[in-house]
Every structure is written in C-alpha cells, then in structure tokens.
Amino acid sequence: MRNILKRAVDAFEDRTGLISFFGYLMRHPVPGDTGWWYVFGSAVLVAFMIQVVTGIALATRYVASSGSAYQVLQFITYHAVLGNFLRGMHFFGASAMILLVGVHMIQVFLMGCYKYPREFNWISGVMLLFVTIAMGFSGQLLRWDQTAVWATVLAAEMLGRTPFIGKYLARFLLGGKTLGGATLSRFFAFHVFFLPAAIFMFVGLHLYLVIHDGISAMPVPGQKVNPETYRAEYEKLLEEHGVPFWPDAAWRDVVVAFGVVVTIAALAYFVGPPHLGEPPNPSVLANDPSPDWYMLWYYAVLALLPRGMESVFMVAAPMAAIVFLLLVPVLWNKGERHPSRRPWAVAAVIMIVLSLTAFWIEGSRAPWSPKFDAQPLSAAQVGTTSPPIVAGALLFHDNGCEFCHTVDGHGGMRGPDLTDVAHRLSVDDLRIRIANGGGNMPSFAGILTHDDLDNLVAFLESRETLPAAPAQAASAHP
Ligand code: HEC
C-alpha cells in the first residue's frame, strides 16, 4: 500500500516537479531578523482569500438585476442560512483588505523596501492598490440601496467634470446616461470577473517577484543600497544570517492570518454588515447616504474644496497620486533605507495619514452630503411677516434647498451658503441659477412656478439685510 502511494507521488513529481517547487518556496532562505514587520503583506493575502470565498458564496445567490437585487439582498440578509454573517465577512474582509494594503504600503515605503532590485514589486503593488479600491467601489453599488446608488451617482457626477472626456467617462461608468439596470450589470461584471482576474494576475506577479528578489533585510542606518553591489551583499547576508522561510519566519504570518480571520469573523458576527437602506428611488433623495468608510474622506475633500476647484482637483489629484506612486521607485531606488536617515519620507507619510484622518473625521460629519433633517426656518429666523418672503422661506424648505444650502447658519453645506447671495447675484441671475441648476445643483425649472421663483428670490434677497435691520426687512429687498 505504502509502496503504491510512494510510486504515485514519485510519478506525480516526475511529471510536474510541483513538490520540489513548493518545497523550495517554503524552505527558501530569508533574512532572519525581520521579526513582525513583514506580516502585513501576507495578511492582505489572507483578507483577499476571505473575499474570494465569501464572494463566491454571495454570488451564488445574487441577481444583478435592478428589479431583483434589492429583494435578493433582503433575502440573503434576513432569511438565508448564515447570509447575514456572510455579508458581514465580505464587508469587513473588504475593509481589512483596504486597511492592510495601506499599512503594508506604509511599512514598505518607510523601510525603503521598494528600492533596488524591488522596484517592480512596488509598481505591481500600486496596481493592486488601485484594483482593490475599484473592488470596494464597485462592490458598494451591488448593495443596491439608496445609499449605494447615491454614492455612485455622486461619483459619476464628479467624473463627468473631467475636462474633454468627462462625459464619456461618466457614461462608461454608468453604462448609459443615467444610473440604472445597465450600471448594476456593469458593476457586477467588473466586481466578479474583470477586477478579481486583475488582482490574481498582479498578486501572481507580486509573489513571483518576492521569491525572485527575496525579502529585504531590515534597514540599517548608514547601509546604503547600491545596485552594483547589492546582490552580492544580499547573497552573503542570506548565507550568514538566512533562515528557512518555513517555519522560522512564516510562523508569524500564520499567527497573523489566524488573527485576521478571527477578527473579521467576530466583526461580521457581532457588528454585522452595513444596514440595507431603502430601495433606490430616483425621485426621492436618500436619507443619510454615506459612502463606505474608506471612501468617505475623498467625498469630504470634494465637498470642502472651494467652488470651481472641484473639477481641477478631481482630475489633478488622482493623476498626481498615481504619478507620484509610480515615480517613487524610479526617483529614489538607491541610497539609505532606514527611516531615521530619510526624514522627508517619514514627514510625507505623517502628512498623508494626518490629512486623510482629518478629512475622514470631517467626512463622517457629512458636510459633503445634503442635510436631510433640516427643519423649516422659524418665524424668528424668517424675521418678517412680508407674505412673499414668508412664502419663499417655506419654499426654501419644502423644495429641499435647505438640504444643501445654509441660510443664517441653518441648513446643509453641500452647496454654497446663500445668506449673502444677493451680494453676488442679481435678481435675474438668481432666477436663472435656480431654474437651471448646474454643478451639483438640481434644476428647478419644471418644479417651481413663476410665483414660487419670485417668492424664493424675494426670500434670498431679504437675507443679508435682515439681521442688521429687522424692522425694515419688508421693504429691504430692492
Ligand atoms: C442637492 C443639493 C442642492 C439643492 C437641493 C439645491 N441646491 Fe442650490 N446649489 C447647489 C450647489 C452644489 C451649488 C453650487 C453649484 C456650482 O458649482 O456652481 C448651488 C448653487 C446655488 C445658487 C448659486 C449660488 C452662488 O453663490 O452662485 C443658488 C442661488 C441656489 N443654489 C439656490 C438654490 C435654491 C433656491 C434651491 C431650492 C429651490 C436650491 N439651490 C437647491 C446644491 C443644491
């Protein structure tokens, strides 16, 4: 019996070489002093594996049709065995992947592990970062509730402002002029076929390069990377201080992998997946929509930018980020690796992390989104009994202007503060602006009557003069 087994194994090995190949992978020498620093990469891989498994399970039930997706998700969440847990695993797996990719990148950057000969490893990693973000973004829409749809509409709106090609980009994203069934099919195809295939490809390349070039040793201050001598020094280091990857170094990866799985499962079980909001309905604005946490900061940046700069930023900032990330290993692939000798690298990381955190905090207070619980202005805030102005104040609330615009410190911040808008715009300009919309402002031409417009404009015109001279408010507007 044993003999047969051994002969089968030998025959298999003879024909494939896979046993000695994997044996080599497991036992290849790595620097022995890296401690817990290099566990993040394999942690990302573990999170990705969770995504593959839970994603396939979810896809067996999911229907990418605008008519059924909402009901199917309700079914998965509330009726299917372990459905809620599965959705939770998939959501927290995605969160973990994004978080761990970030940590992995920071560690690689700070320790100069992207320097010669590992430049292509960094570049394939940058590709993986973008594909991972695209996975998160496309996955969010598959939830197909108000929030998901709203976040995608907003993204399309932003993309649409790219100069020259904006219209085509937005149309490509949505699969048509507006968000609908075609968008859902498109996002589904990207989310389950194209993007995962890209991830597998880049992960393959990434891991191949890890084996080909070896894992960096720990950085030592004063020990510079010199492409002419690096390979020889690395060989020598492995000979003197190398340890086999398994088990000497890899046991830490196993411990961390276990921790990642347990944490994600615990979050999925105790916290659960994002709540499913209302089914999407284009004629109703979502209540409290908010993109998933890892994208929140970007929406906040866009909402907080001065008016007119959004378009520039939309295009320039992602381009700059991509170019910068791709240039990192080109510009700085030699020299010192230790962070204590690279103050600018450390400062850059601190700056980026701090700004992201600040925007994230700002974004979670949601100034980027309409404020849907804005109450009508009180009589005291209207400050006058002049009928057109009172009617205008009511229209301002009833038509949702207040969701996006602040007046006298009251209302949302999606659009500009309108307290002193009369300074900037004439009566005619105001009428045109409100009727036509533009930017992120909806058009109200078909919604407001002529009289409504008059009253709204009267109300807006009355604002700037009111606080100073409330008594004359009724006659204050020109
Ligand atoms: C969904 C959010 C939203 C709603 C609802 C909305 N607006 Fe706006 N509004 C905006 C945005 C964003 C801008 C800035 C557009 C731009 O980039 O030029 C704007 C611009 C304006 C301007 C021009 C301000 C200036 O300083 O140039 C006026 C006036 C205005 N809105 C009035 C209204 C009125 C009146 C209503 C209700 C009938 C309304 N808005 C509803 C988002 C909104």
Side-chain angles (χ1 to χ4, degrees), residues 406-408 417-425 460 463-464:
T406 302
V407 165
D408 298 332
D417 188 328
L418 294 182
T419 312
D420 57 352
V421 70
H423 269 318
R424 302 192 292 268
L425 299 177
L460 289 175
R463 288 306 90 189
E464 51 166 346

Side-chain angles (χ1 to χ4, degrees), residues 64-321:
S65 129
S66 57
S68 333
Y70 187 77
Q71 279 77 18
V72 167
L73 269 173
Q74 294 280 337
F75 174 81
I76 292 177
T77 308
Y78 300 112
H79 302 291
V81 178
L82 288 181
N84 198 48
F85 179 66
L86 210 59
R87 272 195 62 214
M89 287 283 281
H90 204 63
F91 174 74
F92 285 106
S95 302
M97 231 180 123
I98 294 202
L99 199 70
L100 290 168
V101 165
V103 175
H104 179 51
M105 269 183 91
I106 290 176
Q107 176 263 319
V108 164
F109 181 74
L110 282 181
M111 294 196 169
C113 301
Y114 61 84
K115 291 182 190 248
Y116 177 89
R118 300 181 182 85
E119 295 98 328
F120 283 106
N121 229 346
W122 172 267
I123 289 173
S124 59
V126 172
M127 296 300 158
L128 282 167
L129 170 73
F130 290 123
V131 185
T132 306
I133 293 173
M135 277 303 267
F137 178 72
S138 55
Q140 181 181 255
L141 183 73
L142 301 187
R143 228 143 56 214
W144 204 245
D145 61 358
Q146 277 283 30
T147 297
V149 169
W150 172 270
T152 311
V153 167
L154 222 60
E157 225 170 52
M158 294 189 250
L159 207 59
R161 295 205 220 149
T162 316
F164 310 120
I165 52 168
K167 203 173 82 191
Y168 303 102
L169 288 180
R171 223 174 256 193
F172 174 74
L173 185 76
L174 296 184
K177 276 192 191 151
T178 52
L179 190 145
T183 321
L184 183 57
S185 304
R186 175 160 302 208
F187 273 49
F188 184 69
F190 268 79
H191 191 77
V192 305
F193 298 119
F194 178 66
L195 295 173
I199 294 192
F200 273 112
M201 195 183 82
F202 284 119
V203 164
L205 177 63
H206 206 65
L207 294 183
Y208 164 75
L209 289 171
V210 168
I211 302 291
H212 182 264
D213 294 317
I215 303 172
S216 313
M218 289 301 277
V220 178
Q223 216 174 72
K224 297 184 182 174
V225 174
N226 175 358
E228 324 244 288
T229 55
Y230 182 85
R231 296 268 191 203
E233 284 163 16
Y234 187 72
E235 287 301 319
K236 189 158 157 265
L237 178 117
L238 283 189
E239 257 163 46
E240 285 165 13
H241 305 289
V243 296
F245 173 64
W246 178 263
D248 291 52
W251 69 269
R252 292 191 186 85
D253 296 287
V254 174
V255 171
V256 170
F258 189 72
V260 168
V261 175
V262 168
T263 310
I264 291 174
L267 285 169
Y269 187 80
F270 292 110
V271 181
H275 176 70
L276 287 176
E278 296 293 307
N281 175 354
S283 63
V284 183
L285 289 176
N287 52 60
D288 193 24
S290 119
D292 284 343
W293 66 267
Y294 43 84
M295 280 180 279
L296 203 51
W297 63 273
Y298 189 64
Y299 286 78
V301 172
L302 292 175
L304 292 174
L305 279 171
R307 243 167 357 122
M309 271 193 55
E310 274 175 322
S311 311
V312 181
F313 183 87
M314 270 283 314
V315 188
M319 286 308 254

Side-chain angles (χ1 to χ4, degrees), residues 307 400-401 404-405 415-416 418 424 430 433-434 438 440-442 444:
R307 243 167 357 122
C401 317
C404 296
H405 292 287
L418 294 182
R424 302 192 292 268
L430 272 174
R433 204 69 187 71
I434 298 170
N440 278 330
M441 160 95 178
F444 283 89

